[in-house]
Amino acid sequence: PFDIASNAILPTKAGSSAFNDPMLGYQWNMINTGDLWERGFAPGADAGVKDAWELSTGDPSVIVAIVDEGVFCNHPDLVANMWHNEGEIFASDNDNDGNGYTGDYYGYNFVKETGQITYSLAADTGHGTHVAGVIAAQNNNGVGISSISGGNGSIPGVKIMSCQIFSGNYVASILAEVKAIKYAADNGAVILQCSWGYTSSKADQYDWAPQYGTDDEWMTDCPIEKDALLYFINTAGSANGPIEGGIGVFASGNESAPAAGYPGAYGPFVSVIGTAPGFTPAVYTNYGPGSNI
């Protein structure tokens, strides 16, 4: 790969020969051998996928709902692992399956209330596509990156459902967010990926506007959000499916604060901190109470 900043070819570090995806050797977050660059990398400071892949590279019966910006559904590294609503016709102007959402083939755009998922507006950041790729970019296809659960080339990975609540400079209303979460549960998703949240109460007040610090504060101000998330946790999946009940995954926050932000800080949810390649917290991440990974 070519590094624009230094105008040089980056050193090649294989990292793993598990898959033929060209960027895997640079994905220290997946497999960290400790020698990608000269310093700051610790062997094993990664997501542990090398051992996990020995057990499973992903299960297509697991549907992950990306509640974020829209996912680039036809991306060459994602298209094979996108969820399809089998009762819907792609680009249809009709609600073919009668579920109340017209054209929801890959999911739904809850910002614009349309089945057309968007990802390339001027103010879009690509974040929905980014997190989808970390989860389920197709492994061993000779394209782009490897992912945690994107299959192995012959066996498909988990499926990605796009539940769009951000679109450029527009953010879905709280009611639309609630609908997105319920849609995910009602349409088969068992994992809810939410890389967003409210500012930590411990954030520096000179740089941020600190928000909820206790469960009661968040639940009092955001009751329907809480109800929707608990609906997902309690009703997603089935006894005969991959899991019974749902898993809600949130970011702990990016304010360098010593406590996670809500909703992730609420007990039933998984709140993920960011780490650096040397087994230290990333400089931006929240940490401490409310963070459980």
Side-chain angles (χ1 to χ4, degrees):
F2 188 75
D3 179 36
I4 296 175
S6 63
N7 197 35
I9 301 295
L10 294 174
T12 298
K13 299 291 185 180
S16 170
S17 59
F19 302 129
N20 64 7
D21 306 297
M23 295 305 296
L24 176 57
Y26 303 93
Q27 291 180 264
W28 63 263
N29 56 317
M30 295 289 179
I31 300 175
N32 191 341
T33 58
D35 61 349
L36 183 56
W37 279 282
E38 291 183 2
R39 61 183 181 179
F41 288 77
D46 53 39
V49 296
K50 192 171 183 180
D51 291 336
W53 285 338
E54 295 295 324
L55 301 174
S56 174
T57 56
D59 184 335
S61 68
V62 173
I63 300 171
V64 182
I66 307 297
V67 185
D68 203 299
E69 287 188 334
V71 174
F72 181 3
C73 302
N74 289 319
H75 189 291
D77 222 7
L78 282 172
V79 65
N81 287 334
M82 290 300 301
W83 170 80
H84 299 158
N85 180 354
E86 295 181 356
E88 198 64 60
I89 298 172
F90 180 70
S92 173
D93 291 328
N94 298 309
D95 181 9
N96 303 112
D97 61 357
N99 70 348
Y101 295 94
T102 299
D104 58 322
Y105 186 74
Y106 291 117
Y108 199 71
N109 181 338
F110 290 87
V111 182
K112 301 296 185 180
E113 297 185 358
T114 175
Q116 182 180 0
I117 305 296
T118 61
Y119 53 86
S120 58
L121 299 179
D124 283 336
T125 67
H127 192 266
T129 302
H130 162 64
V131 295
V134 172
I135 296 165
Q138 187 178 0
N139 290 326
N140 212 36
N141 65 342
V143 174
I145 64 171
S146 294
S147 68
I148 294 171
S149 51
N152 63 12
S154 57
I155 299 174
V158 302
K159 296 301 180 184
I160 295 294
M161 174 192 294
S162 184
C163 295
Q164 185 174 357
I165 63 167
F166 304 115
S167 178
N169 292 320
Y170 296 94
V171 179
S173 67
I174 189 70
L175 179 58
E177 175 203 320
V178 165
K179 288 180 177 179
I181 295 166
K182 185 176 187 299
Y183 175 94
D186 292 348
N187 286 277
V190 292
I191 297 175
L192 202 67
Q193 160 62 32
C194 305
S195 290
W196 47 266
Y198 301 104
T199 305
S200 169
S201 64
K202 299 296 184 180
D204 187 334
Q205 63 180 332
Y206 293 103
D207 295 322
W208 304 91
Q211 291 176 280
Y212 310 116
T214 67
D215 291 356
D216 285 343
E217 289 176 0
W218 172 65
M219 291 189 293
T220 298
D221 273 12
C222 307
I224 62 171
E225 182 177 69
K226 181 262 296 183
D227 288 347
L229 288 166
L230 290 181
Y231 175 85
F232 185 90
I233 295 294
N234 294 324
T235 67
S238 69
N240 298 319
I243 63 173
E244 185 173 5
I247 300 172
V249 182
F250 284 85
S252 64
N254 297 331
E255 302 96 49
S256 305
Y262 281 84
Y266 188 58
F269 308 141
V270 177
S271 179
V272 181
I273 69 169
T275 59
F279 264 138
T280 58
V283 294
Y284 57 82
T285 192
N286 293 352
Y287 55 92
S291 303
N292 48 27
I293 287 187

